[in-house]
Every structure is written in C-alpha cells, then in structure tokens.
Amino acid sequence: MRRFYFPIKDTTIYEEFPSREAGLDEILEFGKTLQGTKACRALVDFNISDISSSIMNGIISPNSVFDLEFIIANSSNLLTDQIIYVYPLSQSWREGQGYFYQNIL
C-alpha cells in the first residue's frame, strides 16, 4: 500500500540572490547557476510527527522505505547519472512569501 505525505512548506534559496523569497513559486529549483559558481537549494518541510505517529500506531511498518519524488519541469545539461543529495536541516526556517521574478526592494 502506498501512502503520500505532502510538504507543509517549501522554498528555494539562492546563493546569488539572498534576498529573493521564492516560497510561492510553483517550481522548486536546485543546482548551480548557468556559470556554475552559485548554488540554489530547495527546502522542503514535512510534518514528521504525522509519519512517526503512523509508525507507532502500526499504520506504517517500521521497515518502510520512503521515496522523495521530484518531477523535472525544465532542465538543461542534466546528466543521466545526476546525483541529488538530501540533508536534514538543524534549525527552523520560514517559507518565502514571494516569487523569483518579483521585484525585490
């Protein structure tokens, strides 16, 4: 049986544009800029307590495997053996309230 857990918030952070708040964009970006020097990272937050309680209540087996699936909307120079690393964050963050192409003051 498959269960789906959707994020409660997400955003993209840009090394090159630290004041951009792209939490309302429909697309998350991750990778490097065209010059390959600056990173953009996607942050995705799930309600882990829902998953933990489902395991504790026997709804989900403790031996379950979880997959994180992203669908590619647009890509360039993507390698067939591209590796994406996923890391937990050590502190809280807030979802951005704007779009990438919004004018930032």
Side-chain angles (χ1 to χ4, degrees), residues 26-28 70-75:
E26 298 84 7
I27 296 177
L28 291 171
F70 287 103
I71 298 171
I72 298 171
N74 185 8
S75 66

Side-chain angles (χ1 to χ4, degrees), residues 18-98:
S19 64
R20 300 253 186 212
E21 296 185 351
L24 298 179
D25 266 333
E26 298 84 7
I27 296 177
L28 291 171
E29 295 183 71
F30 47 91
K32 298 274 187 178
T33 59
L34 291 176
Q35 295 79 17
T37 57
K38 304 286 183 177
C40 39
R41 295 176 174 92
L43 304 180
V44 183
D45 188 12
F46 294 91
N47 187 343
I48 300 299
S49 61
D50 283 350
I51 298 169
S52 296
S53 65
S54 293
I55 292 171
M56 289 175 51
N57 294 329
I59 297 170
I60 299 174
S61 166
N63 299 322
S64 294
V65 173
F66 293 87
D67 294 316
L68 180 61
E69 181 177 334
F70 287 103
I71 298 171
I72 298 171
N74 185 8
S75 66
S76 58
N77 301 321
L78 187 64
L79 305 173
T80 56
D81 59 349
Q82 186 74 44
I83 297 173
I84 298 170
Y85 295 96
V86 177
Y87 298 102
L89 294 176
S90 60
Q91 57 186 315
S92 63
W93 52 277
R94 68 179 177 83
E95 184 173 39
Q97 300 300 308

